[in-house]
Amino acid sequence: MSKQKKIAGGLFIGLTAFSAVLIIAVIVILLVVIIIGGKGTFSWEFLTSFPEDGMMKGGIFPAIYGTALLVLIMSVAAVPFGTITAIYLTEYAHEKSILAQTIRFAVRTLATVPSIIFGLFGLGFFIKFVGGGMDDAFLGGHLKWGQPNILWASLTMSLLTLPVVIVSVEEAIRTVPRELREASLALGATKWETIKRIVIPGSRSGIMTGTILAVSRGAGEVAPILFTGAAYYLATLPTSLSDQFMNLGYHIYIMATQSANVDQTLPIQFATTMVLLLLTFTLNLAAVIIRSRLRRKAK
Amino acid sequence: MKEAKIKTRDLSLFYGAKMALNSITMDIPEKEVTAFIGPSGCGKSTFLRTLNRMNDLIPGVRITGEVLVDSLNIYDKQIDVVNLRKKVGMVFQKSNPFAKSIFENVAYGPRINGINNKTKLEEIVESSLKKAFIWEEVKDRLQDSAMGLSGGQQQRMCIARTLAVEPEIILMDEPASALDPISTAKIEELIFELKKNYTIVIVTHNMQQAARVSDLTAFFYLGELIEFGKTKKIFTTPDKKHTEEYITGRFG
């Protein structure tokens, strides 16, 4: 090998190693900066109390509570709907039928739509059209549902996370062996009985993974709830579906951009970011573990 | 020969344009063991699966001709395939227990049929496991997962699961091919016992097995039924040269 070629090869190895290390470095720096900035503020007190003094002090409990409630309602909507869609695609639709291909195309497209578009769609569809329509029809135009609230925010978020659920559940359904379906059918079970008693129980871990990934995504997104239900500050926790709510991601955003004294809220921003990261990391880790178990089982 | 339980008339099966079974006509007698033998890909398993319409599940399969079970054409539009499969049970090559307890595996069929009474289910599970000669081995751990059983035990439990639906015919697709000799012997003993009450059709790769357990043997080759008759005759003085060559191990 000529000396020139050796140098070129060495350079290339160096370049690839550098890019790989760079990625790790970004994560490490991110975590270090956030932990250093937030650790002074992070405490049990911080997690469990309300903001005080125009959010300069105090905790973030309402934001944690609001985020939890958001992802809960979102899951209740997205998981059954996504699971049913996945079942249709894997069990009933012909792989090459126009309907199945259209659904798959829609799911893929949905997954690439920028999240702010979901926010605008939620505002136009859920709040103005559905909510406004409900107010006109049942409350004589009295404004109740035609404004941002946790229900519309959750449903908007569920549209965003639907593809995640569908893809995970589909993958899980495909790992249920054909032999088990055949065994069930040969015992005189109908297709639906086989799906209900064999396929869905066999896909439980996939449904679980999909749910966790959706929750983790939903917990981190801000754009879809910007116009549909997230509130700047609330003195009380939401108690009804028509209430607005506080949210971790949104909380970080407003403290960084809207607060009277951004520098003073910096420790709170860091600590809030820490909580949000911790939450999404833990959820993602759980999903990875369940998914790898599922894949091992499939082999 | 006893009365025919299953009759096929000019039964052909196509995967797309490819013919997998060519015009098969045969009478399978009641409460006897009929074995299907032949080299891999000869269509014996495909033919077996036409008898309870398991081929329905495979896209692109087309069937012509008739299969009559108790003189009813099972491919008739009015036939309820679910009822057919209750009557014509099936045991597969690879034991396929559900990821449930032994009890729930065997109770699966009865539950599907709407039996939810606990005492009744217990009765069915016990008698089915007894008929499959596995009751003594599992009676103390019915609530344990069926996945914990050995391969041979799993297969006998799968047979019990099939019996729990009270079929009249049992189709067996190489039921012992994945088992050790002792488990195989147990399955064969079981087949011998079951034929008192059930019509059994078994596909096997194992020539000795066919000779040991069956009353009649059908030899398939390239999607055609070459020869069908009393097992004793097929294995000693077959009419066709092809059959003789296969049985004596000259090809296949």
Side-chain angles (χ1 to χ4, degrees), chain A residues 127-149 152 242:
Chain A
I127 296 177
K128 296 290 169 208
F129 181 70
V130 181
M134 280 162 68
D135 286 346
D136 287 343
F138 305 116
L139 302 170
H142 172 73
L143 192 65
K144 178 173 186 194
W145 295 102
Q147 55 188 349
N149 66 32
W152 302 139
S242 60

Side-chain angles (χ1 to χ4, degrees), chain B residues 71 114 177 243:
Chain B
S71 307
S177 68
T243 315

Side-chain angles (χ1 to χ4, degrees), chain B residues 132-146:
Chain B
F133 293 159
I134 191 178
W135 173 249
E136 288 302 322
E137 292 160 62
V138 300
K139 65 179 178 191
D140 298 324
R141 48 174 175 148
L142 292 177
Q143 296 311 323
D144 291 1
S145 168

Side-chain angles (χ1 to χ4, degrees), chain B residues 166-189:
Chain B
E166 299 181 346
E168 293 168 27
I169 300 164
I170 302 172
L171 308 176
M172 297 186 172
D173 191 355
E174 300 188 41
S177 68
L179 301 180
D180 62 82
I182 293 170
S183 303
T184 303
K186 282 188 180 158
I187 300 270
E188 288 180 9
E189 200 184 322

Side-chain angles (χ1 to χ4, degrees), chain A residues 75 77-91 100-111 158-174 203 206-215 217 291 294:
Chain A
S75 304
V79 173
F81 193 61
T83 303
I84 290 167
T85 309
I87 290 171
Y88 175 78
L89 284 174
T90 46
E91 300 288 326
Q101 288 192 334
T102 312
I103 295 173
R104 272 177 220 285
F105 178 74
V107 170
R108 272 199 304 273
T109 311
L110 210 57
S158 73
L159 292 179
L160 178 97
T161 53
L162 201 54
V164 180
V165 178
I166 294 174
V167 170
S168 299
V169 178
E170 256 198 278
E171 189 189 355
I173 288 178
R174 289 185 202 283
S203 316
I207 296 171
M208 192 71 171
T209 318
T211 309
I212 294 172
L213 285 176
V215 165
R217 178 93 197 272
R291 181 170 278 192
L294 180 75

